[in-house]
Every structure is written in structure tokens, then in C-alpha cells.
Amino acid sequence: MTSTDTISGARYVAEALHAYGVTHVFYVDAILRRSMVDMEELGIRRVVVHSEKAAAYMADGYARVSGRAGVCMAQSVGAANLAAGLQDAALACTPLVAITGKKPPMFQHRNAYQEIDHWPMFQPVTKYNVDVVAPDMLPHLMRQAFRSATTGKPGPVHLDLIGREARELELAEGLPHPIADSSFTVYPPFRPQADAPSIAAATRAIQGAERPVLVAGGGVRISNAAAELTALAEQCSIPVATSVNGKGSIDERHALSVGVVGSYSSWCANRVVYEADLVIYVGSATGDQTTHDWRVPRLGTPIVQIDIDAAELGRSYPNTIGVAADAKAALQQLRDALPQHGGNAPWLARTRELVDGFAAQQHPMRVSSETPIRPERLCQELSNLLPSDAILVSDTGYSAIWVATTVALTSPRQTFIRAAGSLGWGFPAAIGAKCAAPHRPVVCFTGDGGFWYHFAELETARRHGINTVTIVNNNNGFSQGIADVHEQYGDRPGNRDELYRFNEVSFAQIARDMGCFGVRVETPEEIAPAIRQALDAQLPAVVEVMTHFSARAPAPWTP
Ligand SMILES: Cc1ncc(C[n+]2csc(CCOP(=O)(O)OP(=O)(O)O)c2C)c(N)n1
């Protein structure tokens, strides 16, 4: 091998990311500075942000929308912040490659400045967590990182590169040019089919059920299986609920759509799933949120569960009919195995009755002309205006409930992604989503409590021309917990407001000060024009909508 056949460690990292199709890296300086020079040459956008957690969230949004692993980075002392940011990706099964620097072995165990052990912090939030202590380990560990992140149930991985800023690794010479395994440049890399006996068992269960319901989880989005889900539902006339994560897997105005089930839910969906005599989970973790603490469906209800990870099958429900397969592949296999069926008319009528009942109950709030504005009215206006190719990003807490219950996704070209629980995730994730799909409108729905975390990233968005629309449901406080705070106080005197109230601040003004578009909305009639202006602004935009602090999101129906 001549010297031109080999490259430096710095060049290796840049070429490897490029070979895996990575178009953006999200990070806080100082990490891989030499590589960054090579990345520029290779056309990779280097997005320097204002906190490592935001970098992880951006990579997460990027990965959820692009279908490729997202990449985020931090120097050694930023590792703890970066690890914290991986929690949401781990919960949502997003493939990320997180890269940090770690001081060389001779600095270990002697009170090195700025450094604690990284490995234990990354262990619970990654599928694969390794130290790259010698440059010649990089080729196989980099390839394994992408392989692990994208396969099976996807998730974050962590490479700890030698050198506080990975400089020791960058300076190494004699590495080969990287080879990316093309399968792992996208996810899902493979679509394993279910075996014949499990398809036969699932088919029998579906044919024998009088009141079946499909529940689509985030795995349907990851597998890109929305079309197959809707096709199976239509072929067999089976109603469809989704988890929050699976929202948008079916047109939510479709006659078979019953809404979002679980704790952040429409009560109609909980009732449908509770009344069902067969629940078919597709790509769902069947965790506490989707099952409302395992109270919906009714215990003992027969379950079919399709999951890429066989170890998930029956985790929540014994005697589950398990189908170990990619969601898209298994849904197609079920379609091939099942005849067209008009469904059970009384069951379909019952599900419509429940769905219509929920809509009728919500209607007055959705058209309310109150000021401060009702969040339902805000979401209804957003629902009406959301472009047919939009990416909607929701923060957590009430933001997730308002969106889950009140914004209808109606086009297969719309994408919905949501925080798996981390308050503040929404805005940075929307920035990442926009990097992955620059030509699609990206709208983030967040409360002010959520926006406070990372609004500094407006500067990042402005600097890079990442023009998302952020709708801030601004009630100057944390409203989801108020009822509980009151309950804890009971009759005791004291300063309750201190636990959930913030100073009044105008995020619209802050946005304008950062060179972005910002508009404050105080009456319902102003909502639609403001959203339209924001969508057309050609700038990062903030629509700050002043809403009722005391508005309570719909409580989940509980048996
Ligand atoms: C990292 C993190 N910390 C705390 C919480 C708990 N939490 C969930 S929602 C919420 C309040 C959110 O307030 P805001 O975004 O203003 O929305 P609002 O409830 O007012 O509509 C809090 C504190 C969380 N989910 N994640």
C-alpha cells in the first residue's frame, strides 16, 4: 500500500460519515475539529449548536425524518449532556451515532480535568457503547456503530474516541479509506418476514374476532408501513387506533380511524380498544403510555403483536400471538392471507358512535372564540392549515395531548414525530427534521415551558437558514401539573403559583431580536393569518399564541 492509499484518522471520520450518507452533524465545539475541515470539503453541514442536549435532539429529529442514522457529537466534558439527550432517542428507537472525545489512557485514574467516566452514562441510552482507544479500531467500530444503530429495534450508539477532542485519533495516519456497508446507510436495512405458523395463527385470530382493532405504534412509522396498515384495515374492515408515536399512520379522518389510545388519548380510542375482543399491536412497545398503565385493553383480551424484535412479543400480555417481523412485511403477509371482509356492522357502528361522541364533545372548544385562546381552537386552526406534506413535531406533556387529540393528520405525505417524554425536545428536533427534509414545511407545537429549554437554537436556525415554524402555546407556565399541585396543597396555605408560573416574556419579540419572524396572537381570529405568514416567512418563525392557563387537556378514559 502506498501512502496515498491511506488517510488520517480525521479524514477517516469525515469520509466514513459521508459514505454512510450523513448530510448534517450536530454538535458543540470542541470535537473533531480537523475532521470538520474534511467534512466541509465533502459537503457535510456542520451545525454548531448551543447545548449538547439540543444537538442530540436535532440528530434525533433528523434521523426520524431522513431514514438514516443521525450524528451528534461533544467533547469530553459535554458527554454527560449529550448522553442526557439520547434518552428520547432510546425511548423512541431512533438510530443515532453519538461521538465524544475521551482523554487517553495515561490521563485516566489520576483526576483528569473535566472528565468523569462516560461509559456508565451512555450505557442505559445506547445499544452499543464502545471506547475507540486505538486508531486502528476505528474502521470496524465505526461500521459496527451504524450496523447496530439501524438494525433490529433501532437506537442510539456511542463511540468514545481517543483524545479529549478526539485529536489523538485525528492525528493517526495509515488508515484505509472507509467502506460503508450500504445496507446500513438507511433504516430499516432489512425487512424480515414472519414465519408461516405465526401468520396462520394471527390470521385465525383475526378471522375469529367479532370486535378486532389494530393499534399502530411507532414501529409503523419506522417501518414506513402506513400504506400497508390502512390497506389491511380496509381489506378486513378493522378499526385503527394509534399510539402517540404512531399517530398519522392512518388518515385520521378515515372512517376506520378511532384516534390515539392510551394515557395521552381521545376517550373514544380507549373505549374502542377496551371493548375489542382482539387487539392487533403493530410496532408498539405496549408500554404504560399506550395501554394507559395496562388497563386498556381489558386484561385477558386476546392479543396479536407484530414486532421486529421477538423479545418484545408478549412482554406486556401473556399468551400473545407473536409475529416476529418487519411491520410492513408482516402487514403485507396478513393481507395476502386474509380475504376481503366487510366487517362486523354493529362493531363498526359502535366505533363510529364513540368517535362521533368525542368529536361532538370537543366541538365547542375547537370553535371557541374565547380569549385567552382555548388550546383546542389553536389546534383546530393548525389542523386546518397544516400543509399536506408537512412534518409536525410535538413536544411532550399537554403539547402531546393537544396535538394527539385535536390536530388531525389527513395525508400520507404528512409526517408526525413527537417527544418520547423529554420536555424541550420539540424545537431542536424540528430543526433536525428540517435539515432532513429542507423542502417540506416543518411545524413544531410546544408549550412555553418546553420552548424555554432550547429557544437559543433560534440563533442556530437563523445562522443556517433552517426555517421551521414554531407554535408556542404560551400560558406563561407549566400547566399540566397544576391540578396535582393543588391537590398536594389541599387546604394548606402557601404560594402555589411558585411551582408552575413564569414571568411574562414575549417569545415573538425574542425571535425578532434574533433576526427571525415572530408574531404574537391574542385572539382566535389572528391564529390562521399568523400561521400562514409564518409558513411563508422564509425565516425561522415563532407564532406565540396566548392561551388559557387553566385549560385542561382531555383526561384519558379509564375503565
Ligand atoms: C425533561 C423533563 N422534565 C420535566 C418534565 C415534566 N413535565 C411534563 S409537561 C411539563 C409542563 C410543560 O409546560 P409547557 O411546555 O409550558 O406546556 P403546558 O403544560 O403549559 O401546556 C413538565 C414540567 C418532562 N416531561 N421532561
Side-chain angles (χ1 to χ4, degrees), residues 53 57 395-396 419 422-429 446 449-454:
K53 205 143 66 74
Y57 294 168
D395 210 58
T396 193
S422 309
L423 191 64
W425 177 89
F427 175 52
T446 177
F451 195 52
W452 271 116
Y453 274 82
H454 298 296

Side-chain angles (χ1 to χ4, degrees), residues 190-211:
F190 306 109
R191 296 196 173 274
Q193 294 216 330
D195 61 4
S198 53
I199 289 294
T203 304
R204 272 196 304 278
I206 292 169
Q207 288 185 305
E210 290 185 355
R211 300 184 305 283

Side-chain angles (χ1 to χ4, degrees), residues 445-470:
F445 187 94
T446 177
D448 54 296
F451 195 52
W452 271 116
Y453 274 82
H454 298 296
F455 75 86
E457 302 305 342
L458 279 171
E459 187 281 326
T460 304
R462 181 71 175 88
R463 180 165 27 96
H464 278 276
I466 306 166
N467 300 335
T468 65
V469 173
T470 306

Side-chain angles (χ1 to χ4, degrees), residues 83-128:
L86 296 187
Q87 179 180 245
D88 223 82
L91 291 167
C93 306
T94 310
L96 296 189
V97 177
I99 295 176
T100 53
K102 176 181 175 175
K103 291 187 175 180
M106 276 305 284
F107 287 71
Q108 302 300 325
H109 311 294
R110 53 204 300 204
N111 302 331
Y113 171 58
Q114 286 186 322
E115 195 170 282
I116 58 169
D117 191 3
H118 297 168
W119 192 86
M121 299 188 288
F122 282 89
Q123 194 59 8
V125 290
T126 55
K127 297 174 69 181
Y128 181 72

